[in-house]
Amino acid sequence: MRSTCRALAAAVVLLAAGCGGGPQTHPLETGGIDAVDMLQTLQARTVRVLGTVTGTAAAEAALPELEAISADYGDLLVDAKGLSPAGRAELAEQAARILPGLKDNAVRLGSMRGGTILTPVLGEIIDKVALLQ
């Protein structure tokens, strides 16, 4: 009985010592969700929406969704401040990879009829991704 009590007491001490003592991970790095996955998802959404733009009417229809995506990039930018150094470095690397494609899409859309409607929101998205680097 005493050995069981001692073992239980030791387990409680070890458990208590582990609470809050180790490195903390950001919520975006736990539970199967990480910031890099979120960035890749946002980039895929952006490309999908931009792929629907074929003229002025399509650009006007895409604008609200791109504005929502831009807000999501902003949320990721805020959350990225709490990432571990390793998580931040990985996110920066991924942002650097997707930035040229976003810029190319902005140039392409800017030259399309009606594409200039999207120029401000695309500029916001590009700026936010650049800040993730």
Side-chain angles (χ1 to χ4, degrees):
M1 180 74 170
R2 278 193 170 163
S3 63
T4 303
C5 288
R6 285 185 189 148
L8 182 58
V12 168
V13 168
L14 288 174
L15 181 62
C19 290
Q24 299 296 314
T25 58
H26 192 271
L28 290 176
E29 296 174 312
T30 60
I33 299 172
D34 69 32
V36 172
D37 288 342
M38 291 181 77
L39 179 59
Q40 290 171 342
T41 299
L42 286 172
Q43 190 254 354
R45 284 176 53 204
T46 304
V47 169
R48 180 186 53 77
V49 171
L50 294 178
T52 67
V53 178
T54 56
T56 304
E60 289 171 347
L63 186 58
E65 190 166 358
L66 280 177
E67 289 170 337
I69 291 169
S70 179
D72 290 344
Y73 276 109
D75 292 343
L76 178 58
L77 190 58
V78 169
D79 290 337
K81 294 176 185 175
L83 294 174
S84 67
R88 185 78 176 109
E90 188 177 351
L91 183 63
E93 183 180 319
Q94 184 63 30
R97 283 187 193 142
I98 71 168
L99 193 56
L102 287 171
K103 288 179 178 180
D104 288 346
N105 275 317
V107 169
R108 180 182 60 81
L109 287 169
S111 66
M112 289 178 75
R113 188 178 65 225
T116 56
I117 294 168
L118 302 176
T119 300
V121 72
L122 283 174
E124 289 176 11
I125 290 171
I126 289 168
D127 290 347
K128 291 171 183 176
V129 173
L131 288 172
L132 289 170
Q133 294 185 86

